[in-house]
Amino acid sequence: MANTRLYLAPLLLVAVVLLSSKTMAQPAAPAPGPAGPINLTAILEKGGQFTTFIHLLNITQVGAQVNIQVNSSSEGMTVFAPTDNAFQNLKPGTLNKLSSDEQVKLILYHVSPKFYSMDDLLSVSNPVRTQASGRDNGIYGLNFTGTANQVNVSTGYVETRVSNALRDKRPLAVYVVDMVLLPGEMFGEHKLSPVAPAPKSPASGVSDDDKSTKKAAAPSDKSGSGEMKVGLGFGLGLVVMCLKFLF
Ligand SMILES: *[C@@H]1O[C@H](CO)[C@@H](O)[C@H](O)[C@H]1NC(C)=O
Ligand SMILES: *[C@@H]1O[C@H](CO)[C@@H](O)[C@H](O)[C@H]1NC(C)=O
Ligand SMILES: *[C@@H]1O[C@H](CO)[C@@H](O)[C@H](O)[C@H]1NC(C)=O
Ligand SMILES: *[C@@H]1O[C@H](CO)[C@@H](O)[C@H](O)[C@H]1NC(C)=O
Ligand SMILES: *[C@@H]1O[C@H](CO)[C@@H](O)[C@H](O)[C@H]1NC(C)=O
């Protein structure tokens, strides 16, 4: 009897390990294959019209984070890449008015921590989380609507078509968008932080005084905590990666 238990214990352990590694690796692609690690910058460079986005991915280090997370997460990722034209069409100064925290958030907003094929986007339940959502599912989401081969993405502030894919294989999808996805939370009426140019509504009688108090009252720790959540997200990715190594 005691002998059987001695045999059973390691067997059970093996079973648990197998089971847990199976569940964790389940949605992953059938082995990365011999191709080198996925490099978002290289994919975008091939596309030939993403200089600004590449630059922003680089200075915010979001690009490097995507490369790491796409390699470690079983969910994959989806990136919406605005063209250089899209950035040129922004109102002058739009990006410069953002703090560096907000710039990071804007770029994170173009990345979703899950792989979506075009078909997935047609049937996905809105809103879709982005890397800017952090743990707070309710904010910085994207809405997708469409029919057949045309999918639109909406931020609550802008809406545009999801055009062709630069890459559409797990674990990374990269879609071209011809507008910068300006989050409603940053630019819309109910923005969380006063970053956009004050809306032109003379009726509300916003004086210069009002503007400066608004600025002074900006919750300076707000984006900080957002960053922390994002960091946690990536940290979790790393933990999952370590677990994979273990099993
Ligand atoms: C990714 O590709 C870019 C452009 O081809 C290159 O400059 C960069 O070193 C690559 N990064 C990695 C981690 O290989
Ligand atoms: C990325 O940013 C670093 C500084 O953070 C800079 O040294 C490097 O040249 C940049 N690379 C590209 C491709 O812009
Ligand atoms: C990707 O993951 C593999 C193992 O899962 C590891 O060997 C490789 O170094 C990782 N690449 C990057 C760029 O993190
Ligand atoms: C997405 O749609 C829901 C309702 O369908 C709406 O409440 C929400 O504000 C929308 N969000 C965005 C980012 O468009
Ligand atoms: C998609 O968005 C474009 C504007 O970019 C609009 O003209 C078009 O009607 C939208 N399509 C759908 C199906 O909502």
Side-chain angles (χ1 to χ4, degrees):
M1 202 57 175
N3 268 349
T4 340
R5 273 204 200 143
L6 274 178
Y7 279 115
L8 277 177
L11 267 180
L12 205 67
L13 193 70
V14 167
V16 166
V17 166
L18 281 178
L19 263 178
S20 51
S21 65
K22 201 175 174 192
T23 12
M24 256 185 303
Q26 192 186 10
I38 289 174
N39 181 339
L40 179 57
T41 307
I43 293 168
L44 292 169
E45 273 183 359
K46 240 183 182 173
Q49 46 172 345
F50 303 96
T51 318
T52 309
F53 192 49
I54 290 171
H55 174 70
L56 289 166
L57 284 167
N58 185 33
I59 60 170
T60 59
Q61 304 195 357
V62 172
Q65 288 174 334
V66 168
N67 289 344
I68 292 170
Q69 193 168 338
V70 89
N71 192 31
S72 61
S73 134
S74 52
E75 296 284 324
M77 303 196 96
T78 302
V79 173
F80 299 94
T83 58
D84 288 334
N85 258 337
F87 282 101
Q88 267 154 33
N89 289 338
L90 288 176
K91 266 190 235 149
T94 303
L95 290 185
N96 291 339
K97 286 197 184 95
L98 301 179
S99 70
S100 52
D101 271 359
E102 286 162 342
Q103 284 187 4
V104 171
K105 203 142 215 174
L106 176 68
I107 300 310
L108 288 173
Y109 189 59
H110 289 74
V111 181
S112 178
K114 197 169 188 306
F115 172 89
Y116 294 104
S117 69
M118 202 63 111
D119 281 347
D120 292 340
L121 290 178
L122 272 174
S123 56
V124 79
S125 74
N126 289 322
V128 166
R129 281 173 59 87
T130 69
Q131 290 292 79
S133 302
R135 291 253 171 103
D136 195 344
N137 275 332
I139 63 163
Y140 288 102
L142 292 168
N143 279 356
F144 294 90
T145 52
T147 49
N149 288 327
Q150 216 222 282
V151 180
N152 271 16
V153 56
S154 160
T155 70
Y157 184 67
V158 296
E159 174 169 1
T160 190
R161 279 190 54 184
V162 177
S163 15
N164 58 306
L166 296 177
R167 186 197 151 98
D168 60 1
K169 279 205 240 36
R170 276 177 192 281
L172 177 68
V174 182
Y175 298 106
V176 178
V177 284
D178 58 14
M179 283 179 91
V180 179
L181 303 179
L182 301 175
E185 285 85 349
M186 255 183 222
F187 295 91
E189 268 175 47
H190 307 291
K191 52 182 176 262
L192 298 177
S193 59
V195 291
K200 291 177 229 152
S201 56
S204 74
V206 177
S207 70
D208 281 342
D209 268 341
D210 281 341
K211 276 186 215 153
S212 53
T213 31
K214 257 197 217 160
K215 259 191 192 135
S220 55
D221 62 331
K222 188 125 200 170
S223 51
S225 70
E227 259 16 275
M228 207 178 74
K229 283 179 197 153
V230 168
L232 278 174
F234 283 116
L236 207 66
L238 278 179
V239 169
V240 170
M241 185 166 72
C242 292
L243 284 173
K244 268 193 194 154
F245 275 118
L246 279 178
F247 294 134

